[in-house]
Amino acid sequence: MTKERIILFFSFLLVFACNKIDKNIPKEYIRIMGEGSWGYNDDKGNVVIPVGKYKFLNPLDEKGMILAELKNKHGYIDIHENIIVPFEYDDITVFSQELACVKKNGKFGFVNRKGKIVIPVQFENETFFRKNGLALVTKNKLYGFIDKKGKEIIPIKYQNANHVILDSLVTLKKETKWAFFDSFGKQKTDFVYDEIVTTSLNSKDTFWKNGLILVRKNNQIAYLDKNLKEIIPFGKYETGERFNKNRIAIISKNNKYGIIDEFGKERVKAEYDTIEHPEESYHESEIFVAKKGNNIVLLDEHGKKIYDKLKDFSFDYCRMDKKIEKIYHIQNLNGKYGAIDTNGKLIIPIIYDEFEDFGSNYNAIVKYKGKFGLIDSKNKITYPIENEAIYADRRELDYYLINKNNKFGIIDKNLKPIFNFVFQDLSPCFYDTKNRFIAKQNDRYGVIDRGGRIIIPFEYSKMSNWIEYGPGENYHFVTKNNKEGLITKEGKIVIPTIYDSLFYNDENTIILSKNGKYGVKNLQNKTVIPFDYEKIYSDLAFFPKNKEIEFYVLRNGKYFVINNKNKVIKENISKKEVEDKFSYLN
């Protein structure tokens, strides 16, 4: 072979060998949680770090280091369990600006990625370095800033301090006033502010990235730009909120509210009684709600009017052309309901007496001229508006339960019939709302499944569904021939329907009456207290489980207390005491 061909041949071998080896190299590592410990597997399921050793393992960081806890001490290892930062610290943070804060004997310092202490353990607070190269530290309950070499850039002598993720500015408090400093330690303002407000941009805190900085002094507010120049002077507005990510803020003057931009221009004239951000899915929405008298005005995230002359509104989501879109339910001043899109375009006319949420589905329940039906997001009637009632669980839509001409039926979410309108009453069983229903036919109740199979025959004049203090999801209280009893959800008789009254006391006892006498049985139909009494009361619900059960009983005109073994434990109880104690049962 020539020299060139030999080199080329070995190059092919090398490529082939590398490719072959690459197939066996894990592409990623997966954290595994054990019982009180953590480990790692590779992407083929092979154990790399076994569970049972480390109490905690953090995900691999960008440099291949793992924060770990071993025998109540913290350090760093690599994926091969080589110790990089020794396990000698009471706590340790993730790395920021290539340094991690460590805790030892109640004090804090910093280590580098080689595990070397670079800033001695001496501070009173856990801290970290921001992008401006500073960390806020405390000593002797005083505040200051250090750089990554531990040098005090701003002396540790102030009563408080603050810094943010997105800006290089920091603030410090001297006695009762605040001032601005830059990241080089230069003081930028006098200590004159009572408050300097931070805001948030994409979940990161900032002083000025949203537009202007809100400051307070002597019960007045002003707004500063990033150079700390007053753009909106003190006294111009009575109140003001921080600027949001759209660079606008709510303000007030003469007790009226408006919205300004970062140049001080009133985006929304200060003429409303209130302006606020409404609650949307457990967080503050970006849109604004303004009120003037009884009139509500919706404003978008930029302060532009969406819709006005409203009595109320709410958020909803619906399917439009196979996409889920946000909409607003609106109610006009006459109490009628409709819907608009986020641009204020009317998509459902304001004509309905009731209008339930779409809940990200194709259909919504509406009431019009006293009748109920279904519409889609284009206001097309998808099920006739001619029913007395329609019920649907919007959280997990699986069917619609409909009352039509006082007959009940069910259609599925695709509006196909499940049950025709042949029932006098129909309700989902609380223990299986999708598949089982208490139904009434010929004035008698029973239970059927979704396929129409009869689970419990139609023979009861009453049948319980959910009861707050009932015996749980496995039972129904029932009435037959004016007598009460208890059956399982499969129809098996637990307490036969031969009693005049039935009161579920707890999982072990049921108070019953028959032929004017009271007694107690358990869920196995075994007699606990014989039927010897004219009345039995128990307030077990208010007693701890470990306390002996007490029954207040009446016999031969006298009240006394017995336990669940029918043994008298207290005598001479006055009628007034018993009536007062159990007045909630009468």
Side-chain angles (χ1 to χ4, degrees):
M1 289 186 186
T2 64
K3 183 178 179 181
E4 290 77 13
R5 290 178 67 189
I6 291 171
I7 292 172
L8 184 60
F9 174 76
F10 279 101
S11 296
F12 276 119
L13 283 179
L14 182 60
V15 170
F16 177 78
C18 288
N19 287 340
K20 189 173 183 180
I21 292 171
D22 278 346
K23 291 181 181 179
N24 297 314
I25 294 175
K27 297 296 187 291
E28 63 177 308
Y29 296 98
I30 302 161
R31 273 199 314 164
I32 304 298
M33 185 178 181
E35 187 173 343
S37 66
W38 292 75
Y40 268 91
N41 289 354
D42 64 23
D43 61 351
K44 299 181 185 302
N46 300 311
V47 174
V48 179
I49 300 177
V51 296
K53 181 176 180 180
Y54 296 97
K55 188 175 181 180
F56 179 73
L57 292 173
N58 218 37
L60 274 160
D61 71 12
E62 69 276 10
K63 297 292 179 68
M65 294 174 65
I66 304 169
L67 188 158
E69 182 178 354
L70 179 66
K71 297 178 180 178
N72 296 320
K73 292 294 182 180
H74 297 77
Y76 272 87
I77 60 173
D78 64 18
I79 197 65
H80 305 294
E81 295 190 76
N82 296 311
I83 296 174
I84 304 171
V85 178
F87 288 92
E88 59 184 57
Y89 300 107
D90 302 318
D91 205 355
I92 193 167
T93 69
V94 297
F95 281 88
S96 65
Q97 302 295 305
E98 298 303 292
L99 296 177
C101 185
V102 295
K103 181 182 181 182
K104 193 171 187 179
N105 299 324
K107 299 290 185 179
F108 297 85
F110 286 88
V111 297
N112 63 17
R113 286 193 177 272
K114 294 182 179 180
K116 180 182 177 182
I117 287 279
V118 294
I119 299 175
V121 175
Q122 59 183 304
F123 303 111
E124 295 167 357
N125 65 310
E126 179 184 298
T127 184
F128 63 96
F129 282 92
R130 300 285 178 99
K131 289 182 180 179
N132 60 13
L134 300 181
L136 192 162
V137 293
T138 61
K139 267 187 181 181
N140 301 319
K141 297 183 179 179
L142 296 175
Y143 295 75
F145 288 90
I146 60 171
D147 65 15
K148 290 192 288 185
K149 294 181 179 179
K151 179 183 177 182
E152 290 187 21
I153 301 301
I154 299 175
I156 306 172
K157 65 177 186 179
Y158 296 98
Q159 278 66 50
N160 207 342
N162 190 20
H163 61 161
V164 294
I165 292 176
L166 296 179
D167 307 346
S168 61
L169 290 171
V170 299
T171 58
L172 290 112
K173 187 178 185 182
K174 184 177 180 181
E175 296 178 351
T176 62
K177 300 293 183 179
W178 290 83
F180 286 95
F181 286 68
D182 65 20
S183 59
F184 301 103
K186 182 179 179 181
Q187 186 172 338
K188 304 295 289 184
T189 68
D190 293 332
F191 285 90
V192 294
Y193 302 111
D194 298 316
E195 183 183 11
I196 298 171
V197 179
T198 62
T199 184
S200 176
L201 180 64
N202 299 324
S203 301
K204 295 180 179 180
D205 53 355
T206 175
F207 287 116
W208 57 266
K209 291 285 187 181
N210 283 340
L212 297 176
I213 308 167
L214 172 62
V215 293
R216 303 183 194 279
K217 181 174 68 174
N218 302 327
N219 295 319
Q220 293 184 325
I221 66 157
Y223 289 95
L224 316 179
D225 66 12
K226 65 180 181 180
N227 298 313
L228 308 181
K229 177 184 176 183
E230 281 186 25
I231 301 300
I232 299 172
F234 286 99
K236 182 170 183 179
Y237 296 112
E238 295 158 1
T239 64
E241 295 187 358
R242 65 195 75 196
F243 272 69
N244 65 19
K245 69 178 185 180
N246 296 308
R247 308 177 84 81
I248 56 177
I250 300 170
I251 50 81
S252 74
K253 62 180 178 181
N254 301 322
N255 295 316
K256 295 295 182 182
Y257 290 82
I259 297 174
I260 59 170
D261 64 21
E262 62 185 306
F263 305 106
K265 180 181 177 182
E266 288 192 4
R267 187 78 62 87
V268 175
K269 188 178 178 181
E271 61 182 7
Y272 294 98
D273 300 328
T274 61
I275 297 180
E276 58 187 17
H277 293 284
E279 190 79 8
E280 178 184 2
S281 301
Y282 305 104
H283 69 274
E284 190 178 80
S285 175
E286 290 186 4
I287 71 166
F288 300 87
V289 175
K291 293 182 181 179
K292 185 189 291 186
N294 295 322
N295 183 29
I296 290 177
V297 178
L298 296 184
L299 309 169
D300 70 12
E301 63 269 28
H302 303 290
K304 181 182 177 182
K305 185 182 292 187
I306 301 173
Y307 215 87
D308 65 358
K309 297 180 181 177
L310 298 177
K311 183 178 180 181
D312 202 1
F313 92 104
S314 62
F315 297 96
D316 190 15
Y317 290 84
C318 69
R319 292 184 180 270
M320 295 183 178
D321 300 323
K322 298 183 179 181
K323 291 183 178 179
I324 296 177
E325 303 283 354
K326 181 195 287 189
I327 63 172
Y328 304 119
H329 283 237
I330 56 174
Q331 183 184 25
N332 68 14
L333 299 177
N334 295 319
K336 298 295 183 181
Y337 292 90
I340 57 174
D341 65 17
T342 54
N343 295 315
K345 179 183 176 182
L346 193 65
I347 58 173
I348 306 291
I350 311 173
I351 59 173
Y352 295 105
D353 304 314
E354 294 180 20
F355 182 11
E356 293 190 16
D357 288 349
F358 282 94
S360 300
N361 295 300
Y362 285 106
N363 300 291
I365 299 169
V366 293
K367 182 181 181 182
Y368 181 68
K369 294 184 178 179
K371 297 292 184 179
F372 290 85
L374 300 176
I375 60 170
D376 66 13
S377 61
K378 297 180 180 179
N379 197 41
K380 178 184 176 182
I381 296 173
T382 54
Y383 196 83
I385 305 176
E386 58 185 21
N387 309 285
E388 274 65 58
I390 298 181
Y391 163 82
D393 184 351
R394 308 308 304 178
R395 296 166 297 178
E396 195 172 356
L397 180 65
D398 198 51
Y399 58 81
Y400 298 92
L401 194 157
I402 300 172
N403 178 355
K404 182 178 181 181
N405 299 324
N406 294 318
K407 291 289 186 179
F408 290 80
I410 296 179
I411 59 175
D412 66 20
K413 62 183 177 182
N414 297 314
L415 313 185
K416 303 298 183 184
I418 296 176
F419 295 140
N420 291 322
F421 294 89
V422 296
F423 299 105
Q424 294 168 281
D425 198 2
L426 199 61
S427 60
C429 294
F430 81 97
Y431 51 79
D432 188 354
T433 57
K434 281 189 176 182
N435 300 303
R436 289 202 180 184
F437 304 87
I438 296 176
K440 185 179 182 182
Q441 265 188 336
N442 302 319
D443 296 324
R444 292 292 182 264
Y445 287 93
V447 173
I448 58 177
D449 67 13
R450 194 178 179 117
R453 183 171 67 97
I454 296 174
I455 307 298
I456 298 175
F458 289 87
E459 57 185 55
Y460 299 103
S461 56
K462 291 182 183 178
M463 179 178 287
S464 70
N465 196 350
W466 181 84
I467 297 177
E468 185 175 4
Y469 295 108
E473 63 180 26
N474 294 313
Y475 303 93
H476 293 281
F477 294 130
V478 291
T479 302
K480 184 176 181 180
N481 300 324
N482 294 319
K483 299 294 182 180
E484 298 187 10
L486 183 70
I487 63 175
T488 69
K489 64 183 181 182
E490 304 302 331
K492 181 181 177 181
I493 294 173
V494 179
I495 305 290
T497 51
I498 60 175
Y499 295 97
D500 299 321
S501 68
L502 182 154
F503 176 77
Y504 176 78
N505 196 48
D506 72 346
E507 63 268 20
N508 297 311
T509 53
I510 297 176
I511 299 173
L512 301 156
S513 72
K514 183 180 179 183
N515 301 325
K517 293 294 184 179
Y518 285 80
V520 176
K521 290 200 169 191
N522 61 21
L523 286 182
Q524 288 73 46
N525 198 30
K526 301 295 184 183
T527 299
V528 177
I529 305 293
F531 285 76
D532 294 338
Y533 301 100
E534 291 130 49
K535 196 69 182 176
I536 298 180
Y537 296 105
S538 173
D539 59 356
L540 184 71
F542 303 100
F543 276 77
K545 287 190 176 180
N546 59 357
K547 186 175 177 65
E548 185 179 45
I549 302 172
E550 295 181 352
F551 296 96
Y552 286 71
V553 297
L554 174 66
R555 186 167 63 186
N556 299 326
K558 292 183 179 181
Y559 284 100
F560 49 98
V561 179
I562 62 174
N563 62 15
N564 59 356
K565 303 247 189 317
N566 200 32
K567 180 181 177 181
V568 177
I569 58 176
K570 194 183 297 183
E571 296 183 289
N572 300 320
I573 309 296
S574 71
K575 179 180 179 182
K576 184 177 185 308
E577 179 183 341
V578 175
E579 288 179 347
D580 289 346
K581 187 177 185 67
F582 297 103
S583 59
Y584 65 93
L585 294 176
N586 297 323

